[in-house]
Amino acid sequence: MSDLPLVIVSHTLPAGWLDKMEGRCRMLIGPVDATRLSDELAQALPQAEGLYCLLTIPVNHALLERAPRLRVVSNMAVGVDNVDVAACTRRGIPVGNTPGVLTEGTADLTMALLLSAARRLPESSQDAREGRWKTWSPTGWLGADLYGATLGLVGLGKIGKAVGQRARGFGMRLVYSDTQPNPQAEAELGAVYLSLEEVLRHSDFVSLHTPLTAETRGLIGAPQLRMMKPGAILVNTSRGPIVRMDDLHQALAEGWIAAAALDVTDPEPLPPEHPLYQLKNCLIVPHIGSATQNTRRRMAERAAENLVAGLEGRHLPFCVNPEVYPE
Ligand code: DGY
């Protein structure tokens, strides 16, 4: 047996995506459609020195306890809410993520959702297929204009900014909330900094771009949805638990807001019997914000670079807990 370090790769990825790890480690790879760490991989945790995983794998205390030799966790995602980063830090394990490479793809999908919800594309497409398109109707499938409307960005990080750039191209006005003002982004985008409450009250569209943390979990619930305009559209491409799903259902069913478009839900996958699927004014897609060939490949490669750096004792190029490194 080779003396290369053992790395657990939670899922099978397309050929070539993990080339940067070839020859640097022994890879034990899970099934393509795994919804958890497979039994075979879980049994190998005690020997594993690296873990390469997707956002669906909880890297929690229990897993870390079983993996005393672990020296690096590389998450093939920018979000790391599936990883107990504090627990990794206590063990001196660097955690890698993949910022940057999925910014544009996720911003594109955000605009696609925003436009689809504004112009009621899923509903009108289904009506056309199912014979309800009887004539050109002056009042049929009326939607909302983007031009001149106000888009409220909750979070003005990389993805929020990229959405703002696109929205400006559509003639939208921009407001945003964040943990603090971002003067540079304000200058670039002409976005106005407001409190979350003001953003919700003044926006025609609200798009969420904040990481999932203890502070943002449940950030948008009944009180916040009630603050929004009756014609407002909510878009979420960040993390599902930022929105309270039951409250959103009530808001959509009772017309507190006009529509929602969700790339992320709580839980994921959202079971087919979930009542949100019954609502015509709720568009749900299966967490595909980064789902383009180029983006996913670049995420995989970035995660591979992090993994190899960790194994070789180098600083991870993209590390969420750099405090693990001595000064
Ligand atoms: C991420 O990387 O966190 C995204 O949600 C994946 O699409």
Side-chain angles (χ1 to χ4, degrees):
M1 184 156 31
S2 121
D3 55 5
L4 290 172
L6 178 68
V7 169
I8 288 179
V9 180
S10 65
H11 293 73
T12 302
L13 295 172
W17 287 17
L18 297 183
D19 276 0
K20 292 183 177 162
M21 287 159 58
E22 292 293 343
R24 314 283 188 101
C25 56
R26 285 178 289 137
M27 288 186 251
L28 194 58
I29 301 180
V32 66
D33 53 359
T35 53
R36 60 182 181 83
L37 211 56
S38 71
D39 291 343
E40 188 196 358
L41 267 53
Q43 278 162 19
L45 280 170
Q47 285 78 48
E49 294 182 54
L51 172 62
Y52 182 112
C53 60
L54 306 191
L55 53 79
T56 48
I57 302 295
V59 183
N60 50 24
H61 176 75
L63 182 148
L64 294 170
E65 280 290 287
R66 297 185 64 184
R69 302 183 65 191
L70 208 55
R71 291 190 286 123
V72 55
V73 171
S74 181
N75 210 36
M76 192 192 127
V78 66
V80 288
D81 44 282
N82 59 310
V83 180
D84 186 339
V85 177
C88 290
T89 306
R90 283 195 295 278
R91 289 171 162 80
I93 301 172
V95 177
N97 71 338
T98 65
V101 289
L102 49 84
T103 302
E104 308 304 335
T106 307
D108 284 352
L109 195 270
T110 304
M111 291 308 292
L113 290 178
L114 199 145
L115 282 159
S116 297
R119 302 303 300 271
R120 301 170 61 181
L121 296 192
E123 187 189 336
S124 53
S125 163
Q126 198 170 352
D127 284 348
R129 280 169 187 267
E130 294 176 1
R132 288 183 289 276
W133 178 16
K134 303 292 186 199
T135 181
W136 184 89
S137 160
T139 55
W141 303 287
L142 299 183
D145 289 314
L146 269 63
Y147 186 80
T150 298
L151 170 63
L153 297 164
V154 178
L156 198 65
K158 286 191 175 65
I159 298 174
K161 264 180 71 177
V163 171
Q165 282 158 354
R166 286 159 175 74
R168 267 173 59 108
F170 281 88
M172 301 184 89
R173 280 196 290 266
L174 299 178
V175 296
Y176 76 101
S177 67
D178 210 328
T179 47
Q180 57 186 24
N182 181 338
Q184 194 193 337
E186 281 181 30
E188 280 170 33
L189 295 172
V192 176
Y193 182 68
L194 298 176
S195 67
L196 173 63
E197 178 170 343
E198 288 170 318
V199 165
L200 296 172
R201 289 194 188 284
H202 293 114
S203 299
D204 303 299
F205 298 84
V206 173
S207 189
L208 306 178
H209 301 288
T210 180
L212 177 62
T213 63
E215 290 72 38
T216 62
R217 185 176 289 275
L219 185 72
I220 305 296
Q224 292 73 28
L225 291 160
R226 283 209 184 269
M227 287 173 195
M228 293 172 66
K229 295 183 181 182
I233 292 175
L234 177 70
V235 179
N236 189 8
T237 54
S238 56
R239 282 293 184 267
I242 290 170
V243 178
R244 293 185 193 274
M245 303 295 280
D246 292 347
D247 294 357
L248 178 62
H249 180 267
Q250 190 180 0
L252 292 169
E254 296 182 6
W256 308 354
I257 63 172
L262 310 175
D263 180 40
V264 289
T265 58
D266 182 23
E268 287 185 14
L270 196 68
E273 63 277 9
H274 195 283
L276 273 176
Y277 288 117
Q278 303 305 320
L279 299 179
K280 283 187 175 173
N281 56 350
C282 189
L283 163 59
I284 299 172
V285 296
H287 202 150
I288 55 170
S290 59
T292 71
Q293 290 284 349
N294 285 340
T295 299
R296 285 281 166 82
R297 184 179 182 118
R298 291 174 71 200
M299 288 166 68
E301 288 173 352
R302 185 150 283 189
E305 287 163 21
N306 278 333
L307 194 283
V308 170
L311 288 181
E312 294 180 350
R314 291 183 283 112
H315 282 209
L316 271 50
F318 299 93
C319 184
V320 297
N321 59 344
E323 60 274 23
V324 291
Y325 298 115
E327 292 277 312

